[in-house]
């Protein structure tokens, strides 16, 4: 190992208490982007992060206002959280790496089944884990870029690249309006960026590190069915009025079957066919149905073979039904007829699906199904947000540097994987900045992002920071971009 990395790694180890404290403060802020009432907290978290950047010596810090959140939305004139742009270093002889992360998080409540308060970071050194909403997705990795700068500085080593940050607060809600900003700043704030690195994904399993070169996209919809002007007593009106929930259950039930097959006409035809070359790639990936079962805490896998699981996660679309807004969902037995219900579902998209065409197929399907019900209620289906899929070529200078970094820290070559999840802005970075994008994961496949008891292993936190540091070092030394 080069002398400089040895001392940076030592500093990462010794500065651990400071990194824990920074993470503890950040996790405390419930920056849930999908909850309109919590929007002020998302702003608070942005402020906290900008203070950290400033303390660590980043400069040119800008909190970019993206304006008002576009519809559909319940709160009028709700401001979008700021995008945090900043720089560390401005040396024309060095390469420039843009790091993207998101500081917003998924909703979480103790009642969902958490063992501890979700917005209070638990650091359990004996078990080797940290637990709290956002610890792995994506607050831990985001702050780690700042931590890595601290470690270089503390070691007295020269920082190998110019770093540019782009941290957003709406990722979990579709990265609204971020596209426009990136296109606009391509020749402004982001001028001269050589590479983009995103640390917002996970190892496939629990043991082997990976580097990621693909993501699925996500088109998120709601079907709104309205009938009576207010919720009604089912004893008085049951059997007499057309119930929106009854209609909605049938529309939602017509989208997909219990084996995961999407029942909307025309979708299969858009999916790129599987080639022999691609098929061969799945064989060497380390993964098993047992690992999937361990991550879900169940035996609910639809497939037994590793290849089938991975293909259905990475290269085929899926449709999930998420919930119903407006319906009764509390404990007990309330005899109510909900008057207006919003059925939420999303489709993970893959090459070569076209988002607009998909939306028109979805709307056509839902409209036709509703029409067949012969209901006097009103029904419409709308797109809430869409984020593009992304697949890149993993044989470039960035991936090579990250592979070497991973090997240095974990002692093994990483697997090259795709992901089933989505980071809507990835393709925009690649196209608008004309650079390659690397997905460099920190956490593990069983971290429970979006779930209860979200965790990050301390060894992954520390190993992840070291991997980031080594990647920047090796990338800076590589002869090409
Ligand atoms: N970090 C995830 C993306 C991800 C998920 C990567 C799973 C790898 C595996 C990100 O924060 C996320 O949750 N994205 C949303 C985007 C959506 C709202 C458009 C997602 O995938 O649901
Ligand atoms: Mn994330
Ligand atoms: Mn997420």
């Amino acid at each position: 190992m080069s002398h400089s990395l040895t001392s940076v790694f030592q500093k990462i180890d010794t500065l651990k208490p400071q990194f824990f404290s920074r993470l503890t403060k950040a996790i405390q802020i419930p920056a849930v982007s999908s909850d309109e009432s919590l929007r002020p907290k998302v702003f608070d978290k942005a402020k906290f992060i900008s203070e950290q950047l400033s303390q660590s010596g980043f400069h040119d810090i800008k909190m970019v206002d993206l304006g008002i959140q576009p519809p559909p939305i319940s709160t009028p004139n709700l401001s979008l959280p700021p995008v945090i742009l900043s720089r560390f270093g401005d040396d024309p002889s060095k390469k420039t790496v843009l790091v993207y992360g998101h500081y917003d998080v998924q909703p979480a409540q103790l009642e969902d089944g958490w063992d501890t308060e979700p917005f209070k970071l638990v650091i359990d050194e004996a078990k080797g884990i940290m637990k709290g909403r956002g610890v792995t997705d994506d607050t831990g990795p985001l702050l780690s870029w700042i931590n890595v700068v601290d470690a270089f500085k503390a070691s007295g080593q020269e920082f190998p690249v110019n770093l540019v940050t782009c941290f957003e607060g709406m990722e979990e809600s579709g990265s609204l309006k971020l596209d426009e900003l990136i296109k606009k700043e391509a020749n402004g704030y982001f001028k001269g960026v050589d590479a983009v690195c995103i640390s917002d994904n996970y190892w496939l399993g629990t043991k082997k590190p990976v580097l990621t070169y693909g993501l699925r996209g996500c088109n998120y919809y709601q079907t709104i069915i309205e009938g009576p002007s207010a919720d009604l007593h089912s004893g008085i009106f049951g059997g007499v009025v057309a119930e929106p929930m009854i209609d909605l259950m049938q529309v939602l039930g017509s989208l997909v079957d219990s084996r995961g097959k999407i029942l909307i006409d025309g979708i299969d035809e858009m999916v790129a066919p599987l080639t022999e070359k691609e098929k061969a790639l799945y064989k060497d990936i380390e993964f098993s149905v047992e690992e999937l079962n361990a991550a879900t805490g169940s035996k609910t896998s639809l497939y037994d073979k590793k290849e089938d699981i991975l293909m259905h996660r990475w290269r085929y679309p899926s449709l999930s039904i998420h919930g119903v807004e407006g319906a009764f969902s509390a404990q007990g037995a309330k005899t109510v007829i909900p008057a207006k219900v919003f059925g939420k579902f999303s489709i993970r998209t893959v090459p070569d699906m076209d988002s607009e065409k998909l939306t028109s197929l979805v709307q056509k399907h839902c409209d036709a199904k509703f029409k067949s019900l012969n209901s006097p209620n009103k029904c419409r289906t709308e797109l809430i947000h869409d984020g593009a899929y992304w697949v890149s070529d993993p044989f470039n200078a960035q991936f090579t540097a990250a592979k070497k970094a991973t090997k240095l820290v974990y002692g093994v070559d990483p697997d090259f994987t795709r992901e089933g999840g989505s980071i809507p802005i990835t393709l925009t970075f690649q196209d608008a900045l004309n650079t390659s994008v690397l997905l460099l994961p920190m956490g593990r496949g069983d971290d429970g992002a979006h779930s209860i008891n979200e965790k990050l292993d301390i060894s992954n936190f520390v190993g992840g920071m070291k991997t980031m540091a080594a990647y920047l070092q090796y990338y800076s030394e590589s002869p090409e971009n």
Side-chain angles (χ1 to χ4, degrees), residues 433-455:
L433 306 190
N434 197 17
T435 59
S436 81
V437 182
L438 162 73
L439 254 68
L440 184 63
M442 176 167 274
R444 304 183 186 181
D446 67 348
D447 280 354
H450 296 206
S451 185
I452 56 167
N453 300 321
E454 179 178 345
K455 60 93 175 161

Side-chain angles (χ1 to χ4, degrees), residues 102 136-138 171-172 200-202 422-423 450:
H102 63 92
T136 193
D137 183 15
D138 179 38
E171 194 273 346
E172 300 291 6
D200 184 25
N201 65 307
Y202 324 98
S422 315
I423 305 171
H450 296 206

Side-chain angles (χ1 to χ4, degrees), residues 24-45:
T24 302
K25 289 180 196 147
I27 296 293
Q28 253 164 34
I29 310 171
V32 180
S33 56
S34 63
D35 185 336
E36 297 173 17
S37 71
L38 287 174
R39 189 58 54 88
K41 300 291 179 192
V42 188
F43 278 79
D44 289 351
K45 193 158 172 192

Side-chain angles (χ1 to χ4, degrees), residues 31 38 125 140-141 153 163 169 184 246 287 313 321 335 346 366 379 420 436 462 476:
L38 287 174
E125 300 231 38
K153 282 171 63 178
L163 207 61
K184 184 172 146 241
I246 294 178
F287 192 63
R313 181 180 283 184
I321 300 178
T335 49
S346 71
C366 294
C379 173
S436 81
V462 173
S476 78

Side-chain angles (χ1 to χ4, degrees), residues 65-335:
D65 178 8
L66 295 179
I68 299 295
Q69 184 164 335
I73 180 103
S74 315
T75 315
N77 296 322
L78 187 67
S79 295
L80 287 165
V83 175
I84 311 172
L85 302 180
S86 72
R87 303 179 191 282
F88 188 83
D90 210 352
D91 178 345
S93 70
K94 290 180 186 169
K95 290 191 178 115
T96 299
V97 176
L98 182 150
V99 294
Y100 161 89
H102 63 92
Y103 58 88
D104 63 320
V105 297
Q106 286 283 316
Q109 285 179 320
L110 190 58
E111 301 83 79
D112 298 339
W114 284 72
D115 296 334
T116 53
E117 280 296 339
F119 293 103
K120 213 168 164 247
L121 188 72
V122 173
I123 302 172
D124 188 333
E125 300 231 38
K127 288 203 186 113
I129 62 151
M130 304 182 287
K131 189 174 17 132
R133 174 55 90 223
V135 64
T136 193
D137 183 15
D138 179 38
T139 309
L142 181 153
L143 294 176
S144 292
W145 292 113
I146 310 176
N147 298 343
V148 165
V149 165
D150 289 349
F152 267 97
K153 282 171 63 178
S155 73
Q157 298 295 328
E158 164 117 13
F159 202 70
V161 300
N162 303 314
L163 207 61
V164 174
T165 72
C166 178
F167 296 153
E168 72 155 320
M170 275 305 273
E171 194 273 346
E172 300 291 6
S173 300
S175 298
L176 305 176
K177 303 254 220 95
L178 184 57
D179 254 25
E180 286 97 313
L181 172 75
I182 289 164
K183 287 176 192 155
K184 184 172 146 241
E185 295 298 343
N187 284 309
Y189 204 98
F190 301 149
K191 197 169 180 275
V193 167
D194 297 296
V196 175
C197 182
I198 301 179
S199 183
D200 184 25
N201 65 307
Y202 324 98
W203 295 354
L204 191 52
T206 55
K207 290 174 205 77
K208 193 162 186 205
V210 309
L211 298 177
T212 303
Y213 65 94
L215 291 162
R216 289 194 292 184
C218 184
N219 278 32
Y220 204 112
Y221 298 100
Q222 61 184 2
T223 293
I224 305 169
I225 302 192
E226 49 187 321
S229 64
D231 289 3
L232 299 172
H233 192 301
S234 68
I236 304 174
F237 298 101
V240 180
V241 299
E243 300 192 19
M245 267 299 265
I246 294 178
D247 295 343
L248 182 64
M249 291 299 106
Q250 300 193 67
V251 173
L252 293 180
S254 74
L255 296 169
V256 63
D257 74 15
S258 291
R259 304 297 307 175
K261 186 176 165 37
I262 301 176
L263 305 174
I264 302 167
D265 284 341
I267 291 190
D268 288 350
E269 289 78 353
M270 290 196 281
V271 177
L274 178 68
T275 62
E276 285 303 318
K277 187 169 162 230
E278 185 196 326
K279 204 170 157 189
L281 293 175
Y282 296 91
K283 273 213 260 339
D284 297 328
I285 309 284
E286 210 173 284
F287 192 63
S288 67
V289 67
E290 286 74 29
E291 274 194 271
L292 175 68
N293 286 337
T296 66
S298 67
K299 287 192 175 150
T300 49
S301 177
L302 291 172
Y303 303 96
D304 297 322
K305 289 219 312 275
K306 169 181 86 176
E307 284 83 354
D308 287 329
I309 297 170
L310 294 179
M311 283 187 210
H312 282 274
R313 181 180 283 184
W314 297 351
R315 63 116 42 234
Y316 289 119
S318 62
L319 190 153
S320 300
I321 300 178
H322 305 294
V324 179
E325 184 183 333
F328 169 58
S329 69
Q331 272 181 2
K334 183 179 180 187
T335 49

